[in-house]
Amino acid sequence: MDASIALVAIAPFIAALLAPLVQRLTSPFAGWVLAAVPAGIFAFLLTLVEPVIADGAVSARIGWVPAYDLDLSFLVDGLSLTFALTISGIGTLIVLYSGAYLKGHPHLGRFLGFLLAFMGAMLGLVLADNMLALFMFWELTSVTSFLLIGFDHTRQVARRGAIQALVITNIGGMGLLVGALLVYHLSGTWELSALGDEIRGSGLYGLVLVAFLSAAFTKSAQVPFHFWLPNAMEAPTPVSAFLHSATMVQGGVYLLARTTPWLGGTEVWTVILVCFGGATLLWGALGALRQTDLKQMLAQTTIASLGLSVLLIGLGTEAAIAAMAIYFVAHALYKAGLFMVVGAIDHEAGTRDITVLGGLADKMPVTFIGAALASLAMIGLPLTLGYFAKEEMYLGVLSWAWTDITVLLVLVAGNAMLAGVAMLVMVKPFLGPVLPTPKSAHEAPLAMIAGPILLGTCSIVFSVMTERLGEVLLVPAASAILGHPAESHLSLAINPASPLLWLSIATWTLGLLVYRQAATLRTLLRRIEAGLGWTNDGIFDVVMFGLIRFSGAVTRLLHHGRLEIYLVTVFGALALALTLPLLLLGGYNVLLPTAELGDWSARLRWPDLRIYEWGVVVLALVGLSSVLLAPNRLVAIMALGIQGTAVALTYLLFGAPDLAFTQFMVEILSVVILALVMTRLRLDERDHRPLEDLARDGTLAVVCGAGVSLLLMVVLTGTLDTRLSDLFTATSVPIAHGANIVNVILVDYRGFDTLGEIAVVMGAGMAIIALLRRRKKATP
């Protein structure tokens, strides 16, 4: 079972890697072939329904980092199973739809790969029980959505929309990481299922709450972070259908629902979620009425629906949580269907502008049926799943308290505006007189119309099977969110005396009024928007432009291209690093004679050198003199090689032939490379050195040299700790199988460091080759 549940999150990534190859081999049927992966995941998840109902949850655990007792754990309970079934089920239809929608596109394989990876990231997010794994999948949804939104990278608006989505959601991702670290600090566990009331009772509760809310609000496009979602409509329609219904934006809603048992229930939780959720509901609904582009209308209604879900989670009552669970599924079904319908209209008629569409029902009858089924669910009429969601959310605030009345009015107003938008989407493009369109409209291919029909049918079937719906969906999901068993009271019976029925009638009536006055409302809302001037979207552009300008100014200040100042800065910092700590920590006391140390003049005696050792000393002095007195640049470069040779010979004399060999190689290569790279300079000239430069550089050289010497003197006065060298000596042969300890240290004990050094040298060599080749090409 562990391997099977883990495979659910991993399989889409494997399919994503193979997608381009599959598309190349099965070009006309790539969508049908790759759809087998999410379909198989959906079928497997269905087998977990009964175990989840019986046991409450099914868990899986795989060793991740055993040294830190860190496991890659997954939890399948009512909440995660509801989300995972929705993701994989709708994902199957989206993959089929994509194959037909982008048929003939040269990068269809790449698109399908991105889409499957996006699906895998979302499945991992909702199934992960480990907070670090949750954060990893959370960020993967941002990265994969960036690739999908910016898929048509030749268009500037697509690139802007992708960057904006990535920036905003990654800000929340950092909040999630901070929140996870704080929760681990407070609880000592990474597992979400193991958390209890210790978070609510902590003094850091407020900080943890802000961290998780920042993640949820940015991902689920809550006011004031809502503006990125409409701009994400630059993605191809299959992406919009998947992103708005079951993935990405629902991640924040899932996070709030998952953290409710140990973060929810407080007054601050309720106030923040209800206020921000209500504001987002109204803002999104009004924004939808302002648009004429069908995709933009649906995008704005998604903002409203996300706000509605957040509001319900904030209320926290059993009825509100049940409404949220049902509404998530209902919204996913009708929103995916409506986006597919809009994509079919755009694909076959050549436009999405609602003001120039009409009479398509005769030319696209099946598409019209799909649009009608989805729109009726969005309106919330009986025999659709949206009806039960609306009834449950009204039940959650049915009291005479002024706060509940206020929330109820917001819910009725928001649902009425969403119903009006649904009527516009269902009626305007399909009914009325036939209007000319850029393309001669006709019915969409089977793969594009199957989704809306199936999803609309599911909405009706689920609503009719009320008892089974409560048992399979409502009770497990609501129980997982509430932290205690919930009860189902769904019924198809209509009670004329129930206030819920009259609230629904009021909603439908107001929705019809909104539909009839849509043109007037659109004009009024656009005037108000024009009068506001600044928008959050505009503020984002100003901030990003300012950030780029600031980065450019800092770059020009720090990376001005003057090598001389770079070197002065580096050696100046080195001088401070060598001298200041010694001054503050009393390191200069070693210069004073003490009873323990005696007279330094007696200890620092010149060693008794042999004749060849004197030769190395003389060679070093000759090299030093040559550097200082070099008549031109070429002699200075060669003199540096003399100094390096003296150092290599010193290593050789003191029993380190491998270091000596490395030093020889470095010196030879340095001289050769410097001479080659600097061939554009006049090496036969002597650099003019002003007196102030000589004084500055000489002072830095003396200070750095004296600092290094003093630091070595301080180190030598201490006791040598041989634990590390003893470890190397004891383990070099039996563990690393190497008798040369230095080589073993380089290759095994600090292998990653050595790999990094090799990579740096290789990169430098490639840059030098590029420079030389460029010079060769430029010579003729």
Side-chain angles (χ1 to χ4, degrees):
M1 182 64 73
D2 286 9
S4 299
I5 295 176
L7 188 61
V8 168
I10 297 173
F13 292 105
I14 299 174
L17 292 174
L18 298 175
L21 178 61
V22 171
Q23 193 275 330
R24 190 176 303 170
L25 296 176
T26 63
S27 182
F29 310 102
W32 294 90
V33 173
L34 291 171
V37 175
I41 293 172
F42 181 79
F44 169 74
L45 291 172
L46 283 177
T47 65
L48 301 180
V49 172
E50 294 300 331
V52 168
I53 294 174
D55 303 327
V58 177
S59 60
R61 189 178 300 273
I62 301 173
W64 194 6
V65 188
Y68 292 96
D69 195 26
L70 193 62
D71 294 330
L72 186 61
S73 54
F74 298 95
L75 178 72
V76 183
D77 61 2
L79 176 62
S80 58
L81 183 59
T82 299
F83 272 78
L85 282 170
T86 307
I87 294 164
S88 55
I90 293 179
T92 302
L93 299 176
I94 294 295
V95 173
L96 283 175
Y97 185 91
S98 301
Y101 186 84
L102 293 174
K103 184 179 180 181
H105 196 287
H107 301 300
L108 174 60
R110 186 179 69 181
F111 178 83
L112 292 172
F114 292 163
L115 192 65
L116 288 165
F118 186 43
M119 183 189 307
M122 194 65 195
L123 283 171
L125 190 156
V126 300
L127 295 175
D129 192 32
N130 182 285
M131 284 187 288
L132 289 182
L134 173 67
F135 168 74
M136 178 183 70
F137 287 115
W138 183 278
E139 291 298 273
L140 276 175
T141 61
S142 296
V143 173
T144 49
S145 67
F146 167 81
L147 296 173
L148 288 169
I149 296 169
F151 177 70
D152 189 3
H153 57 272
T154 58
R155 297 169 55 239
Q156 194 273 336
V157 287
R159 298 196 300 271
R160 178 183 178 273
I163 292 172
Q164 189 178 72
L166 184 67
V167 170
I168 298 299
T169 55
N170 273 359
I171 291 173
M174 294 301 100
L176 177 61
L177 179 59
V178 171
L181 294 174
L182 287 173
V183 169
Y184 177 75
H185 171 72
L186 294 172
S187 63
T189 180
W190 292 109
E191 309 300 314
L192 291 165
S193 58
L195 297 173
D197 292 333
E198 66 270 15
I199 308 299
R200 272 193 293 259
S202 168
L204 294 175
Y205 171 77
L207 188 57
V208 174
L209 181 63
V210 170
F212 278 93
L213 289 184
S214 67
F217 282 13
T218 52
K219 186 73 83 174
S220 287
Q222 299 298 290
V223 170
F225 307 107
H226 62 283
F227 56 91
W228 70 265
L229 188 53
N231 293 328
M233 290 302 93
E234 298 302 330
T237 299
V239 178
S240 303
F242 203 22
L243 185 146
H244 284 255
S245 60
T247 56
M248 181 66 167
V249 295
Q250 298 293 349
V253 173
Y254 171 80
L255 182 66
L256 293 175
R258 176 59 70 196
T259 57
T260 294
W262 43 275
L263 272 184
T266 63
E267 184 177 357
V268 64
W269 168 275
T270 301
V271 170
I272 292 177
L273 265 62
V274 170
C275 290
F276 279 88
T280 305
L281 167 61
L282 296 178
W283 184 276
L286 290 170
L289 292 172
R290 196 176 62 246
Q291 304 294 330
T292 57
D293 184 293
L294 286 169
K295 277 184 71 172
Q296 284 296 333
M297 292 172 68
L298 294 179
Q300 297 288 348
T301 61
T302 299
I303 295 176
S305 298
L306 293 170
L308 178 55
S309 297
V310 170
L311 184 152
L312 295 173
I313 294 173
L315 290 175
T317 62
E318 186 169 320
I321 295 301
M324 176 264 155
I326 300 175
Y327 186 70
F328 164 73
V329 178
H331 174 264
L333 294 176
Y334 74 68
K335 188 54 64 70
L338 286 175
F339 266 110
M340 290 183 191
V341 165
V342 170
I345 294 173
D346 188 24
H347 195 269
E348 305 305 333
T351 181
R352 301 192 303 257
D353 192 333
I354 199 171
T355 61
V356 298
L357 288 169
L360 293 179
D362 293 335
K363 300 179 178 180
M364 306 176 69
V366 181
T367 304
F368 172 58
I369 294 173
L373 291 174
S375 297
L376 293 176
M378 186 173 176
I379 296 169
L381 290 178
L383 296 184
T384 65
L385 199 56
Y387 171 75
F388 290 104
K390 177 169 52 59
E391 297 283 294
E392 287 292 317
M393 67 179 70
Y394 289 163
L395 179 63
V397 289
L398 202 60
S399 76
W400 291 106
W402 72 268
T403 52
D404 286 345
I405 293 175
T406 303
V407 173
L408 181 60
L409 291 175
V410 171
L411 289 175
V412 171
N415 282 325
M417 287 187 282
L418 292 179
V421 174
M423 295 179 197
L424 289 170
V425 175
M426 177 178 63
V427 175
K428 288 294 185 181
F430 294 99
L431 303 181
V434 178
L435 298 178
T437 54
K439 292 182 180 179
S440 179
H442 55 84
E443 192 58 84
L446 174 63
M448 293 180 64
I449 59 177
I453 299 298
L454 285 175
L455 295 175
T457 304
C458 286
S459 179
I460 295 175
V461 171
F462 290 164
S463 69
V464 174
M465 301 170 57
T466 51
E467 183 176 343
R468 186 59 176 167
L469 176 69
E471 178 186 351
V472 174
L473 168 63
L474 192 152
V475 172
S479 299
I481 299 171
L482 293 168
H484 59 78
E487 296 182 0
S488 172
H489 46 268
L490 298 180
S491 174
L492 272 177
I494 297 178
N495 181 8
S498 172
L500 299 178
L501 175 61
W502 293 103
L503 286 170
S504 294
I505 292 174
T507 302
W508 300 328
T509 303
L510 289 173
L512 182 59
L513 181 62
V514 168
Y515 165 75
R516 293 180 65 87
Q517 300 297 323
T520 304
L521 290 172
R522 185 184 306 127
T523 302
L524 178 62
L525 290 171
R526 289 186 172 183
R527 287 178 180 174
I528 294 174
E529 182 187 30
L532 291 176
W534 286 97
T535 63
N536 289 354
D537 198 26
I539 293 173
F540 175 85
D541 287 337
V542 171
V543 172
M544 290 299 294
F545 180 75
L547 182 62
I548 293 171
R549 291 291 297 271
F550 175 74
S551 302
V554 172
T555 302
R556 287 190 295 272
L557 176 65
L558 300 179
H559 300 280
H560 39 70
R562 297 182 61 186
L563 181 60
E564 180 184 6
I565 297 180
Y566 290 161
L567 293 175
V568 169
T569 303
V570 169
F571 283 100
L574 176 62
L576 291 175
L578 289 170
T579 56
L580 281 182
L582 290 175
L583 177 64
L584 297 175
L585 299 175
Y588 292 103
N589 294 335
V590 300
L591 296 176
L592 304 175
T594 61
E596 293 81 7
L597 296 177
D599 189 355
W600 272 108
S601 62
R603 298 189 61 181
L604 296 177
R605 292 178 300 172
W606 193 264
D608 187 15
L609 300 178
R610 296 179 176 84
I611 183 65
Y612 55 85
E613 294 172 337
W614 275 110
V616 175
V617 173
V618 171
L619 182 63
L621 293 174
V622 170
L624 175 63
S625 304
S626 301
V627 171
L628 296 176
L629 302 175
N632 54 54
R633 297 166 184 167
L634 183 59
V635 174
I637 293 173
M638 301 302 295
L640 286 174
I642 298 174
Q643 284 292 95
T645 302
V647 173
L649 290 173
T650 303
Y651 287 147
L652 188 63
L653 293 177
F654 282 87
D658 44 2
L659 291 180
F661 175 77
T662 303
Q663 182 68 25
F664 274 126
M665 292 298 99
V666 168
E667 290 305 320
I668 294 171
L669 288 174
S670 296
V671 172
V672 172
I673 290 172
L674 282 172
L676 288 174
V677 172
M678 296 178 68
T679 50
R680 290 193 178 187
L681 302 177
R682 295 184 61 85
L683 300 180
D684 55 348
E685 293 183 357
R686 180 180 177 86
D687 290 317
H688 175 67
R689 303 277 290 172
L691 180 61
E692 58 270 21
D693 287 359
L694 287 172
R696 178 197 63 198
D697 298 343
T699 302
L700 281 176
V702 171
V703 171
C704 290
V708 171
S709 301
L710 180 60
L711 181 62
L712 290 174
M713 291 170 62
V714 173
V715 171
L716 290 174
T717 60
T719 303
L720 180 63
D721 188 346
T722 62
R723 286 179 296 173
L724 189 59
S725 57
D726 293 341
L727 172 68
F728 292 153
T729 304
T731 59
S732 178
V733 174
I735 294 180
H737 308 289
N740 188 318
I741 297 178
V742 175
N743 289 348
V744 170
I745 292 172
L746 292 174
V747 175
D748 292 283
Y749 292 105
R750 45 166 285 188
F752 283 113
D753 187 22
T754 303
L755 177 63
E757 293 175 354
I758 293 172
V760 170
V761 173
M762 183 176 68
M766 292 171 65
I768 291 166
I769 291 173
L771 286 172
L772 292 175
R773 286 186 174 180
R774 182 182 177 188
R775 183 174 178 276
K776 255 185 199 176
K777 291 178 181 178
T779 301

